[in-house]
């Protein structure tokens, strides 16, 4: 874990962002739109252990107190159920303790937002992908400015999954799910940035926009975006 | 020191929060998840999602009812285990960040110890050392309690828990989940001698309950072959004789333990200690043994944060705090 240290010169509101939709545990603090510092842990299943300590460390490194925060932004998913469970529970505890608003940011929106400068330069569409199970990814299509154009879906990646999109122009595939598609995305228009992982840094732009427009999540009822309704099977087996 | 503690319980299918001041419960809010009933048991993913939906409202209400505000709190307590991982994660992560945000200490609580310590939420708590029969959905234990935080399991089930014996019997008979309270009620009108369920022969202070439900299954199967309405026609008697076996078996072992350990106080705890027949016969047993009986109030038998709070109270006084890296554990050992 390393933190980029910067003293806040500005009096911009401080927003803490938490991203746990994938195996990366990640926290960042923004002053308005500007990143002050961030911490990442790239390891499996460490969210529950590390997330709150990482917030503690980052605040400490930036010489800030919890009470200095103006809002908490949390990744709402889609992504790992366990990861999101940890992120959202942690965010709720902080918001309730500090009496500050909760901001929800989509995990795909955050991924897309990080490549907006490149996409704008290339005039490319953005397809962020988060690894689901097997050949499945959570994905949606965004324009070069990071505006989402399609519904968020779980897609089973196949030979021709993105053929039409690729015919229409350059497409940036980003996120840990893009690695699954390397093989099949052998198209000159495909730019694959599968080393771009989901981190809290990518949440800043969306979080700041929502903060400015007071687009807050309802702390009382907020839940992660699971994408899939959970259906358990009602056992019809008669025991006798 | 009169600590004000907010406690959170989320180990299984109840989301609960309580506020205690100096070991006295000011509020104890329990939100029970009804969604599992139709599946005949707790579905872990559904349980996790419902904890996430309910936690803020439950904590908010517990604070409001207690007359305290978050700035009055001295510590945050949470159930670290045993229980379901996804369920525990919600309570654990919330508790950690809430305590961190408020800048106050964090206390982790063992759910099974808390069941035992529910006996201290009474005006005449047990004196040490005492024995506690903890009977719940996942556990059946005889615990030697030397002090608030010094306990030893001296006997336990080798297979099903007592609560499972109730719930599985309910499933066999087509009763709603959880079947414990339903069987309790139906048994009131029944004959305990209707069927002679076998007494499991397990040495020492350990238990076995799995044979009981198998016996019930075969007994019902044989009789249903002769009379398809056998269950409906005899439901009270079936429940009464089944429950009688569970309760007399539990108490026989407790009695044996009480004689071995020569304690002056006996207690019961856990969801099954809400059972009316167990409560009644436990009283009788204690009278015969000439020991003092202790039974938690109903609201502190099944899962609740009040019991987490009292356990945390004793940990607070002992200076036992958790750090922010605390993670849930799903089972003991
Ligand atoms: N009146 C009653 N009679 C018999 N059993 C009951 C009664 N009320 C509740 N129970 C049983 O108690 C169990 C639930 O107890 P509790 O909430 O303490 O268990 P749990 O938390 O699921 O398990 P554990 O504490 O072992 O993790 C269920 O099996 C239920 O059927
Ligand atoms: Mg319990």
């Amino acid at each position: 874990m390393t933190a980029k240290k910067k003293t806040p010169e500005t009096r911009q509101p401080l927003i803490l962002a938490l991203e746990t939709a994938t195996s990366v545990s990640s926290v960042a603090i923004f002053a308005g739109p500007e990143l002050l510092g961030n911490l990442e842990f790239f390891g499996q299943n460490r969210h529950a252990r590390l997330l709150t300590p990482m917030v503690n460390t980052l605040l400490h490194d930036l010489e800030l107190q919890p009470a200095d925060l103006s809002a908490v932004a949390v990744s709402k998913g889609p992504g790992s159920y366990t990861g999101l469970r940890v992120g959202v529970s942690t965010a709720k505890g902080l918001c309730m303790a500090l009496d500050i608003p909760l901001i929800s940011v989509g995990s795909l929106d955050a991924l897309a937002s990080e490549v907006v400068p490149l996409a704008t330069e290339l005039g490319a569409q953005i397809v962020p992908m988060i690894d689901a199970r097997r050949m499945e990814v959570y994905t949606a299509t965004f324009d070069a400015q990071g505006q989402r154009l399609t519904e968020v879906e779980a897609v089973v990646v196949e030979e021709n999954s993105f053929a039409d999109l690729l015919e229409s122009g350059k497409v940036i595939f980003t996120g840990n799910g893009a690695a699954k598609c390397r093989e099949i995305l052998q198209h000159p228009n495909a730019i694959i940035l599968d080393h771009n992982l989901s981190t809290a840094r990518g949440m800043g732009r969306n979080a700041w926009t929502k903060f400015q427009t007071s687009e807050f999540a309802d702390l009382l009822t907020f839940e992660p975006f699971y994408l899939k309704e959970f259906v358990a099977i009602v056992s019809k087996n008669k025991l006798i | 020191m009169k600590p004000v503690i907010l406690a959170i319980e989320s180990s299984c299918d109840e989301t609960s929060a309580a506020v205690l001041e100096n070991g006295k419960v000011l509020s104890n809010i329990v939100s029970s998840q009804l969604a599992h009933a139709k599946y005949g048991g707790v579905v872990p993913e559904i349980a996790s999602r419902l904890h996430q939906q309910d936690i803020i409202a439950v904590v908010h209400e517990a604070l409001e009812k207690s007359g305290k505000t978050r700035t009055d709190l001295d510590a945050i307590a949470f159930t670290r285990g045993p229980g379901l991982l996804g369920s525990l994660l919600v309570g654990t992560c919330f508790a950690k960040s809430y305590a961190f945000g408020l800048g106050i200490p964090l206390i982790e609580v063992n759910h099974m110890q808390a069941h035992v310590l529910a006996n201290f939420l009474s005006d005449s708590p047990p004196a040490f050392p005492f024995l506690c029969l903890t009977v719940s959905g996942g556990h059946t234990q005889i615990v030697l309690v030397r002090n608030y935080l010094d306990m030893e399991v001296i006997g336990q089930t080798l297979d099903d828990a007592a609560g499972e014996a109730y719930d599985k019997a309910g499933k066999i008979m087509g009763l709603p989940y959880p079947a414990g309270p339903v069987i309790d009620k139906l048994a009131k009108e029944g004959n305990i001698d209707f069927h002679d369920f076998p007494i499991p022969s397990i040495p020492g202070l350990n238990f076995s309950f799995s044979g009981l439900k198998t016996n019930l299954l075969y007994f019902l199967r044989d009789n249903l072959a002769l009379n398809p309405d056998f269950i409906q026609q005899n439901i009270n008697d079936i429940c009464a004789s089944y429950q009688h076996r569970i309760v007399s078996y539990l108490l026989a072992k407790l009695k044996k333990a009480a004689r071995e350990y020569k304690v002056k106080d006996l207690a019961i705890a856990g969801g099954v200690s809400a059972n009316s027949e167990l409560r009644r016969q436990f009283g009788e047993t204690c009278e015969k043994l000439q020991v003092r009986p202790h039974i938690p109030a109903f609201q502190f038998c099944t899962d609740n944060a009040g019991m987490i709070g009292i356990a945390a109270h004793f940990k607070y006084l002992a200076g036992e705090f958790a750090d922010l890296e605390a993670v849930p554990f799903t089972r003991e050992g």
Side-chain angles (χ1 to χ4, degrees):
Chain A
M1 291 195 230
T2 51
K4 195 170 72 178
K5 204 192 135 178
K6 248 192 214 174
T7 16
E9 295 104 16
T10 53
R11 290 190 167 267
Q12 295 269 42
L14 298 179
I15 303 174
L16 170 71
L18 311 175
E19 173 59 282
T20 53
T22 69
S23 63
V24 184
S25 306
S26 171
V27 303
I29 292 175
F30 298 89
E34 187 205 355
L35 179 70
L36 289 188
N38 61 291
L39 283 174
E40 269 117 44
F41 181 85
F42 300 88
Q44 298 288 339
N45 299 327
R46 286 291 182 277
H47 302 307
R49 185 180 297 278
L50 294 181
L51 198 61
T52 299
M54 285 167 75
V55 173
N56 184 24
T57 305
L58 184 57
L59 282 167
H60 186 264
D61 288 355
L62 295 170
E63 289 163 22
L64 294 169
Q65 301 293 323
D68 296 328
L69 298 173
S70 296
V72 177
V74 70
S75 170
K76 72 168 179 188
S80 144
Y81 291 170
T82 301
L84 296 172
R85 200 158 280 148
V86 170
V88 171
S89 305
T90 303
K92 284 182 176 178
L94 282 169
C95 289
M96 200 172 176
L98 301 168
D99 198 17
I100 54 177
L102 178 69
I103 297 169
S104 127
V105 175
S107 54
L108 296 171
D109 300 69
L111 267 177
S113 130
E114 278 205 295
V115 294
V116 162
L118 179 66
T120 312
E121 195 182 313
L122 299 176
Q125 291 195 303
I126 309 168
V127 178
M129 292 177 155
I130 287 180
D131 194 359
R133 251 161 245 175
R134 298 198 190 86
M135 275 313 278
E136 208 172 29
V137 294
Y138 299 124
T139 189
T141 304
F142 291 72
D143 67 18
Q145 286 72 49
Q147 289 302 314
R148 187 162 55 79
L149 303 173
T150 64
E151 287 292 308
V152 175
E153 304 175 284
V155 173
V156 178
V157 178
E158 292 164 345
E159 193 74 44
N160 295 314
S161 289
F162 299 94
D164 291 349
L165 194 63
L166 284 165
E167 284 309 310
S168 70
K170 289 204 183 309
V171 183
I172 299 174
F173 296 90
T174 179
N176 71 352
K180 280 182 181 174
C181 311
R182 262 198 181 277
E183 297 281 285
I184 59 151
L185 296 175
Q186 306 270 4
H187 192 284
N189 276 338
I191 300 150
I192 301 177
L193 303 177
D194 53 3
H195 57 273
N196 274 353
L197 300 178
S198 295
T199 70
R201 269 175 314 177
M203 296 167 65
R205 209 176 73 118
N206 287 289
W208 177 234
T209 307
K210 289 189 173 181
F211 185 89
Q212 287 171 298
T213 55
S214 299
E215 193 185 332
F216 300 127
D218 180 5
L219 191 60
L220 193 64
T221 57
F222 184 72
E223 279 192 278
F225 176 48
Y226 298 105
L227 191 56
K228 290 180 189 171
E229 184 80 26
F230 187 78
V231 255
I233 293 158
V234 182
S235 164
K236 289 272 185 304
N237 290 352
K238 280 233 158 161
L239 292 165
I240 38 176
Chain B
M1 240 188 314
K2 292 188 173 162
V4 179
I5 296 174
L6 174 86
I8 293 163
E9 154 65 31
S10 73
S11 67
C12 190
D13 58 343
E14 356 266 348
T15 316
S16 180
V19 177
L20 284 80
E21 182 168 28
N22 200 27
K24 298 274 173 284
V25 175
L26 303 179
S27 62
N28 180 41
I29 307 301
V30 182
S31 164
S32 292
Q33 304 176 352
L34 305 176
H36 305 288
K38 68 175 176 203
Y39 303 105
V42 178
V43 182
E45 179 61 28
I46 293 177
S48 309
R49 292 185 181 194
L50 291 175
H51 284 300
Q52 189 71 265
Q53 281 179 17
D54 293 344
I55 187 132
I56 297 283
V58 167
V59 171
H60 189 83
E61 195 180 339
L63 272 173
E64 195 141 84
K65 284 250 163 76
S66 74
K68 300 283 175 188
T69 63
R70 64 192 200 289
T71 52
D72 297 325
L73 300 174
D74 294 308
I76 305 299
F78 68 99
T79 306
R80 190 162 87 82
L84 299 170
L85 181 62
S87 292
L88 289 165
L89 275 175
V90 176
T92 302
C93 293
F94 178 86
K96 291 205 291 183
S97 65
Y98 193 57
F100 171 71
L102 292 174
I104 58 176
L106 183 68
I107 302 173
E108 57 155 278
V109 170
N110 178 303
H111 181 87
M112 297 316 297
Q113 283 195 1
H115 270 306
V116 173
L117 294 172
N119 280 288
F120 289 87
L121 293 171
S122 109
D123 296 331
S124 49
F128 300 115
F130 68 94
L131 292 179
C132 182
L133 172 70
T134 314
V135 272
S136 61
H139 294 80
T140 301
Q141 302 176 329
I142 298 178
V143 185
L144 170 62
V145 189
R146 296 193 194 87
N147 211 323
Y148 300 114
L149 305 173
D150 181 5
M151 301 184 193
E152 185 187 339
V153 177
I154 59 171
Q156 60 189 315
T157 183
L158 304 178
D159 41 55
D160 291 350
E164 261 177 304
Y166 273 98
D167 297 337
K168 286 181 176 174
K171 203 163 185 174
I172 292 171
M173 296 188 284
L175 300 175
Y177 175 88
V182 184
I183 292 176
D184 188 355
K185 212 165 169 190
L186 290 167
K188 286 193 163 80
E189 311 287 315
N191 172 11
I192 57 168
D193 296 321
F194 181 68
H195 176 61
D196 193 14
F197 286 96
I199 304 171
S201 58
I202 300 291
L205 299 174
N206 288 333
F207 299 88
S208 165
F209 282 99
S210 67
L212 221 52
K213 62 151 200 291
T214 316
N215 185 276
L216 173 70
L217 187 67
Y218 291 143
F219 170 66
L220 293 178
R221 194 174 278 172
D222 293 348
N223 281 285
L224 283 170
L226 307 172
N227 171 11
D229 296 327
F230 182 78
I231 296 182
Q232 291 87 318
Q233 284 169 7
N234 300 287
I235 187 76
N236 299 93
D237 293 340
I238 301 167
C239 289
S241 50
Y242 186 76
Q243 167 164 291
H244 175 70
R245 178 53 74 236
I246 296 176
V247 170
S248 60
Y249 180 50
L250 286 170
L251 291 175
K253 290 276 181 172
L254 183 62
K255 213 191 258 174
K256 184 176 158 71
R259 292 210 169 102
E260 259 176 56
Y261 285 82
K262 298 188 180 59
V263 290
K264 303 256 179 343
D265 290 66
L266 287 181
I268 56 177
V272 182
S273 70
N275 183 266
S276 59
E277 193 55 23
L278 178 62
R279 291 166 93 93
R280 192 181 66 75
Q281 287 195 34
F282 173 69
E284 288 178 7
T285 303
C286 289
E287 212 172 299
K288 266 185 223 143
L289 290 169
Q290 296 202 305
V291 298
R292 281 180 298 267
H294 301 275
I295 307 180
F298 278 109
Q299 63 163 325
F300 302 124
C301 287
T302 44
D303 288 351
N304 67 89
M307 69 183 196
I308 305 304
I310 189 70
H313 174 75
F314 296 125
K315 288 192 132 182
Y316 186 94
L317 298 183
E320 285 188 29
F321 299 107
D323 65 43
L324 293 177
E325 290 200 8
V327 286
F329 69 92
T330 54
R331 51 174 71 211
E332 219 85 45

